């Protein structure tokens, strides 16, 4: 019999519920966005996000079930994002999931948000095979992760300061772009040319870590200086040049990570991987190096519950359901759940 | 958490602490059902505290209650935390004022009157400035009352004004799920999908005023 997982994701400002069959088939993936509300504040207000989640959750679940033409009786297990994220938001999804799981006597599977992003790749019609390297790039993370098999993660590199998405948001804010900054900055960049030589932080030789604070300061200085000198500022050129600098480093390090670990499969994941400049640059570089690139569709790159359902399936199949005391955690490291037998098989 | 049948509390468990409520929901639910020898499928309704109180705490309770009510296909009943506290002191003949810490120098408060007719609510659940508590009570014509709730000691120790306050014994000052369950029977049911807490206060965030 197939495994139908009802999955819930409420880690930030999107209430999402999905039904995923056997970790492969997405029957529904409903997302209630709160962008309109938070736009008024120029960013996500945690207390408001939590209130919105609680107001939306039942309706989003109802929609996910009806789109999938299923009722709660058909569900095999309940999955929920456990962290990292806004703890108040996470708690709404988690406690609601506990209520559903308890009422229906279903197993509950807590999923790491990043693991979800990563597993969006396994929803592709041709999913990646192991071993693989995945660049997880979002507002909170810029991580290069090596996976030998399901549930087995090795961190190859990470940002030492800002996450790439965070840098996008900050630059968008100083360019007076509305919230959320990333997509607006991308749109602006598409109208300009990368004519300003902003720095690329490559760090010491062999390091797969990232750093975006120097780039961020350079962009801020550029804006500040041109204002001081009374020169005209070309926001589209700033956006395009900034995006080019971020993209170049992300692509370089991802390719380097794949080459040094000898994997053939490179995956992209996380909100920033919805950025089309990054997608196409990564595609070209992967092809040039004979690597197979996997990139989830845009709707599966940004926060959604289908990715949580995909990750939950492999956890559940491995017998790694959560215990009754599962709690939400604002900070949560990505922990291996694969039983490590030391071999290299997937 | 409690299992209530009619006016009888079949089982009840309470625990304290700023954090960790979410992690104890399932063990507590298992425990109270087991102690009451009741299967979850036999529950006919879920009562839950609607507030006021800690925003996060209210959401933990209500999120769980929503999920439970929806999955069991039973109605939800929302009960005020202050009413629950007042009901625990119903033996006191007169005005009962439950107080909870609301931060920002305020209490969550309401005034109830207990007499032969039972418990009557005289005000909505409100946030009241701590230093204006006695003035507020005086304005309502309260000369004598019983204070209860977690902020009892703090409010009771203030210089005695023209309102004389008795204090409830400590063992009735904490909210009990059993009492909440019993009084929930006289309240209308709510569709769990639309149920929301009574926060009393809005989020403290202010919309940005143009520019950055
Ligand atoms: Zn995310």
């Amino acid at each position: 019999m197939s495994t139908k997982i009802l999955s819930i994701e409420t880690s930030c400002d999107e209430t999402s519920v999905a039904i995923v069959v056997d970790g492969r088939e997405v029957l529904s993936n409903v997302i209630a966005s709160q962008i309109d509300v938070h736009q008024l504040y120029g960013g996500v207000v945690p207390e408001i996000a939590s209130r919105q989640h609680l107001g939306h959750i039942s309706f989003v679940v109802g929609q996910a079930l009806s789109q999938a033409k299923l009722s709660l009786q058909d569900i095999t297990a309940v999955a929920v994002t456990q962290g990292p994220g806004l703890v108040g938001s996470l708690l709404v999804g988690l406690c609601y999931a506990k209520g559903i799981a308890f009422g229906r006597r279903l197993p509950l599977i807590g999923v790491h948000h990043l693991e979800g992003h990563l597993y969006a790749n396994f929803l592709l019609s041709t999913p990646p095979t192991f071993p693989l390297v995945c660049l997880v790039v979002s507002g909170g993370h810029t991580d290069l992760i090596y996976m030998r098999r399901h549930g087995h993660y090795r961190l190859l590199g990470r940002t030492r300061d800002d996450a790439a998405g965070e840098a996008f948001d900050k630059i968008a804010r100083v360019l007076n772009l509305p919230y959320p900054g990333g997509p607006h900055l991308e749109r602006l960049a598409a109208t300009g040319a990368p004519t300003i030589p902003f720095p690329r932080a490559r760090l010491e030789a062999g390091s797969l870590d990232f750093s975006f604070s120097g780039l961020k300061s350079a962009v801020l200085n550029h804006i500040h200086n041109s204002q001081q000198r009374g020169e005209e500022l070309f926001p589209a050129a700033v956006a395009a040049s900034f995006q080019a600098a971020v993209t170049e480093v992300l692509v370089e390090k991802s390719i380097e990570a794949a080459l040094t670990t000898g994997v053939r499969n490179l995956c992209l994941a996380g909100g920033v991987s919805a950025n089309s400049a990054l997608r196409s640059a990564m595609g070209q570089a992967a092809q040039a190096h004979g690597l197979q690139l996997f990139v989830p569709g845009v709707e599966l790159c940004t926060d959604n519950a289908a990715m949580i359902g995909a990750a939950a399936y492999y956890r559940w199949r491995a017998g790694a359901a959560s215990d009754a005391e599962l709690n939400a955690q604002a900070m949560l490291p990505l922990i291996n759940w694969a039983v490590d037998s030391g071999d290299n098989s997937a | 958490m409690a299992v209530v049948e009619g006016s009888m509390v079949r089982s009840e468990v309470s625990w304290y602490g700023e954090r960790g409520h979410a992690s104890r929901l399932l063990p507590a639910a298992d425990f109270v059902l087991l102690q009451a020898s009741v299967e979850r499928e036999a529950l006919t309704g879920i009562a839950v505290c609607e507030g006021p109180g800690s925003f996060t705490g209210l959401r933990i309770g209500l999120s769980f209650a929503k999920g439970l009510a929806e999955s069991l296909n039973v109605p939800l009943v929302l009960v005020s935390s202050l009413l629950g506290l007042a009901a625990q002191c119903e033996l006191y003949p007169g005005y009962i004022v439950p107080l909870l810490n609301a931060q920002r120098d305020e209490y969550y408060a309401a005034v109830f009157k207990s007499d032969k007719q039972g418990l009557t609510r005289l005000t909505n659940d409100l946030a009241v400035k701590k230093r204006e508590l006695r003035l507020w009570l005086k304005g309502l014509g309260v000369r004598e009352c019983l204070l209860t709730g977690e902020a009892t000691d703090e409010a009771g120790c203030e210089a005695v004004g023209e309102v004389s306050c008795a204090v409830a014994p400590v063992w009735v000052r904490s909210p009990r799920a059993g009492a909440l369950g019993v009084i929930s029977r006289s309240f209308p049911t709510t569709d769990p999908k639309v149920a929301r807490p009574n926060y009393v206060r809005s989020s403290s965030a202010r919309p940005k005023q143009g520019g950055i």
Side-chain angles (χ1 to χ4, degrees), chain A residues 39-42 45-48 50-51 54-59 61-62 72 87-88 91-106 108 173-174 176-179 323-328, chain B residues 19-27 29-30 33 39-41 55-56 58-72 192-197 199 201-209 211-212:
Chain A
Q39 224 156 28
L40 303 172
Y41 301 87
V45 182
E47 174 58 24
I48 294 178
S50 305
R51 292 184 179 196
L54 186 56
H56 290 157
I57 187 87
S58 301
F59 296 97
V61 168
L72 275 180
V87 75
L91 279 168
V92 172
L94 179 91
C95 295
Y96 180 87
K98 283 188 169 187
I100 296 277
F102 189 81
R104 298 283 328 152
R105 298 181 187 264
L106 297 173
L108 181 68
R173 215 170 302 149
V174 293
N176 277 317
L177 299 174
Y179 168 85
D323 63 36
E325 303 202 357
L326 180 72
N327 206 346
Chain B
R19 301 194 172 274
H21 284 313
S23 64
R24 291 173 197 157
L25 289 170
L26 295 180
D30 269 327
L33 287 167
E39 295 291 339
R40 63 200 76 178
E41 290 79 8
F55 295 162
T56 301
L58 296 179
R59 281 190 290 264
I60 287 174
L62 185 53
S63 301
F64 182 64
K66 267 188 194 223
L68 200 52
E70 287 168 26
S71 61
L72 294 170
K193 285 182 160 51
V194 301
R196 52 195 210 119
Y199 293 110
R201 282 204 302 231
S202 62
S203 142
S204 54
R206 296 271 169 274
K208 63 175 183 163
Q209 306 289 315
I212 305 293

Side-chain angles (χ1 to χ4, degrees), chain A residues 115 118-119 122 130 145-154 311 314-315 317-318 320 334-340 346:
Chain A
E115 192 170 35
L118 215 154
Y119 270 87
F122 289 88
F130 296 107
I145 294 165
Y146 172 82
M147 271 183 89
R148 201 168 65 193
R149 58 191 136 121
H150 289 297
H152 183 279
Y153 312 103
R154 186 150 62 86
Y314 293 97
R315 250 191 129 113
R317 206 181 59 171
L334 188 55
I335 292 167
N336 291 342
W337 47 259
V339 183
D340 202 340

Side-chain angles (χ1 to χ4, degrees), chain A residues 114-122 128-136 143-156 257-258 261-269 310-311 314-315 317 334-338 343-346:
Chain A
L114 278 200
E115 192 170 35
H117 275 304
L118 215 154
Y119 270 87
N121 282 283
F122 289 88
T129 53
F130 296 107
L132 61 81
V133 164
C134 185
L135 172 69
V136 185
D143 293 343
L144 274 166
I145 294 165
Y146 172 82
M147 271 183 89
R148 201 168 65 193
R149 58 191 136 121
H150 289 297
H152 183 279
Y153 312 103
R154 186 150 62 86
L155 188 66
L156 301 173
T261 52
V263 309
R264 311 302 310 155
N265 299 315
L266 179 61
C267 299
L268 252 185
Y314 293 97
R315 250 191 129 113
R317 206 181 59 171
L334 188 55
I335 292 167
N336 291 342
W337 47 259
D343 67 277
N344 275 314
S345 60

